[in-house]
Amino acid sequence: MRLAERCALPRLVTQKVKLTGVRNGAGAAADAKVTSIVAGMVAGADSIDDLDVLRHGAMPAMFAGIRAPSTLGTFLRAFTHGHALQLHAVHRRFLGTLAAHTPLLPGADQVAFIDVDSTHKRVYGRTKQGAEYGRFKGIRTLHPLLATICTPRSRPVIAGVRMRRGKAADSRGAPKFVSEALATAAEAGCTGTRILRADSQFYNAGVIAACRRAGAHFSITTGMNPSVKRAILAIPDQAWQQITYPTAVPDPETGELISDAEVAEIPAYTAFASRKKAERVTARLIVRRVRDLAKPAVVGEQGELFPLWRYHPFFTDTPAQTLQAEREHRHHAVVEQVIADSKASALAHLPSGHFHANAAWLTLWAMAYNLLRATGALTSAFHAKATTATLRAHPG
């Protein structure tokens, strides 16, 4: 928390977060309340009641101005959508300050990867605002969207988060969110090549246009739509390059471990051909294929188009060679580490029945996560890549 003070977290909150018009003094001393919540999350709190950890033992000797959990809950419930946007602005500037004061993103002046993904967080209260039955049958969820930044030498940090209703489409609001994430990456010192990576849910013209407006590259899984199938069918057999993974990797569809595959590239594939000319994009289509052991071989010209292989195409304009681009795109899975880390820490619960309180909680968790990453980066090479649970287990 001393690092947070040096990086101006209280001052940023005072400047940006103005909870005007709320009752019971909920908007007073927003800086003390935000830092109390962030400190509680750093110490392991995953609910509003758990924020009382700051008043246990000798904690009061370390921290002054601690607010009670009931006060902090009232503060969170006072948030509206506009107040949540104010908190996003604090998070964005706090990340930039952390990156300036610590070796948080080594090599960001050369290349940085911005990964966008969404996750579903199961909730149980029927009165919890925004919780709906979505992708998972019979399970009520909220549907956060997040973007992370990493370099080839660093663990990801969080560029932005958004809370959404359980039924929200994965790509809802994605172009604007991508624009903000790319701008945040630039503020955090990513002045070299920036590459946005995403799954097929974010394969749309708006996301790619946002990348090009920001001067960034993209690497997005396309899925197997009819146009992509036709393009893959036209790849000659001699164009496929054999690759062998140093260690077996799980197949994204079956979970089976695979140790070899083949990769080919279509250097000029036009995406969104049915849209108006200004929205069409021509770039590289890189395809990885692995043996489909679940299907028997089909002999003859009347066999299925894909009887022996499963194909994993992605659309990109990165300058890297084919095999390097495929390897870098596959590394997009690193965002899942952040999601797993969140659900093992402050996002084990979304603690309020109020949607905007949970949205604020999500953003505060992102601040706490980045603060712990910066602390680890200052500590040692091991702690720079350790999980937040490991950082808490190795005090001082």
Side-chain angles (χ1 to χ4, degrees):
M1 293 310 296
R2 191 180 299 277
L3 175 61
E5 290 179 349
R6 287 204 302 268
C7 292
L9 177 57
R11 177 171 57 82
L12 288 170
V13 174
T14 300
Q15 291 175 350
K16 298 293 181 182
V17 181
K18 308 290 184 183
L19 272 69
T20 55
V22 298
R23 294 176 294 176
N24 302 325
D31 55 340
K33 293 171 183 175
V34 165
T35 50
S36 291
I37 296 172
V38 170
M41 289 179 172
V42 167
D46 61 14
S47 68
I48 294 172
D49 286 343
D50 282 354
L51 296 173
D52 200 39
V53 67
L54 297 180
R55 303 196 297 180
H56 286 183
M59 284 288 195
M62 298 277 297
F63 296 103
I66 297 169
R67 295 324 195 245
S70 58
T71 302
L72 299 176
T74 301
F75 171 68
L76 290 171
R77 289 188 293 273
F79 270 73
T80 65
H81 175 65
H83 299 140
L85 293 180
Q86 294 173 0
L87 202 58
H88 293 324
V90 174
H91 166 263
R92 177 173 170 172
R93 285 159 180 78
F94 184 50
L95 174 58
T97 310
L98 285 173
H101 284 76
T102 67
L104 189 59
L105 291 167
D109 58 339
Q110 300 173 15
V111 62
F113 300 99
I114 295 88
D115 294 292
V116 178
D117 204 354
S118 64
T119 184
H120 285 266
K121 183 68 190 75
R122 184 174 187 176
V123 298
Y124 297 90
R126 292 189 172 275
T127 60
K128 198 177 287 282
Q129 292 178 348
E132 297 170 335
Y133 297 112
R135 177 180 299 176
F136 303 102
K137 185 176 181 180
I139 297 177
R140 297 164 61 85
T141 67
L142 288 170
H143 192 181
L145 181 66
L146 72 159
T148 64
I149 308 169
C150 69
T151 71
R153 295 186 296 160
S154 75
R155 191 175 174 89
V157 296
I158 299 172
V161 288
R162 291 292 184 275
M163 182 64 73
R164 287 138 9 121
R165 301 175 67 88
K167 281 185 179 179
D170 288 318
S171 60
R172 180 181 178 185
K176 182 179 179 181
F177 184 70
V178 164
S179 295
E180 293 177 1
L182 291 170
T184 301
E187 290 184 14
C190 300
T191 56
T193 301
R194 291 171 297 158
I195 302 173
L196 178 94
R197 301 184 296 198
D199 290 332
S200 57
Q201 299 96 323
F202 302 95
Y203 175 63
N204 62 63
V207 168
I208 292 176
C211 292
R212 295 200 155 176
R213 284 195 301 270
H217 297 284
F218 58 85
S219 182
I220 305 176
T221 302
T222 66
M224 292 298 294
N225 62 53
S227 174
V228 170
K229 287 183 180 180
R230 289 192 297 270
I232 292 174
L233 181 62
I235 297 174
D237 290 340
Q238 63 271 21
W240 294 97
Q241 303 178 59
Q242 182 76 27
I243 60 172
T244 301
Y245 303 116
T247 57
V249 299
D251 186 274
E253 293 185 7
T254 66
E256 295 178 354
L257 293 177
I258 56 176
S259 57
D260 59 82
E262 294 182 354
V263 176
E265 176 180 337
I266 300 169
Y269 172 78
T270 300
F272 320 118
S274 62
R275 303 177 71 98
K276 59 185 181 181
K277 189 173 182 180
E279 295 178 352
R280 299 172 192 170
V281 181
T282 299
R284 307 161 68 190
L285 184 70
I286 298 176
V287 187
R288 174 170 58 93
R289 69 180 185 179
V290 297
R291 289 280 183 181
D292 191 346
L293 301 178
K295 295 181 180 180
V298 177
V299 180
E301 296 182 358
Q302 299 303 314
E304 294 177 342
L305 176 59
F306 305 110
L308 297 174
W309 301 93
R310 275 181 286 106
Y311 294 80
H312 307 281
F314 65 95
F315 190 52
T316 183
D317 66 348
T318 60
Q321 296 293 324
T322 302
L323 295 185
Q324 180 185 346
E326 191 276 335
R327 183 170 58 252
E328 290 175 348
H329 179 78
R330 196 164 11 94
H331 190 253
H332 167 66
V334 73
V335 71
E336 299 294 342
Q337 296 179 4
V338 179
I339 293 172
D341 198 314
S342 74
K343 294 179 180 179
S345 55
L347 291 195
H349 310 283
L350 290 170
S352 178
H354 294 252
F355 180 85
H356 295 301
N358 286 326
W361 182 269
L362 177 68
T363 306
L364 291 164
W365 160 74
M367 293 183 197
Y369 178 91
N370 290 344
L371 179 59
L372 280 169
R373 293 264 55 81
T375 305
L378 286 175
T379 304
S380 71
F382 168 79
H383 293 94
K385 295 190 176 182
T387 65
T388 55
T390 301
L391 292 174
R392 280 194 291 269
H394 291 187

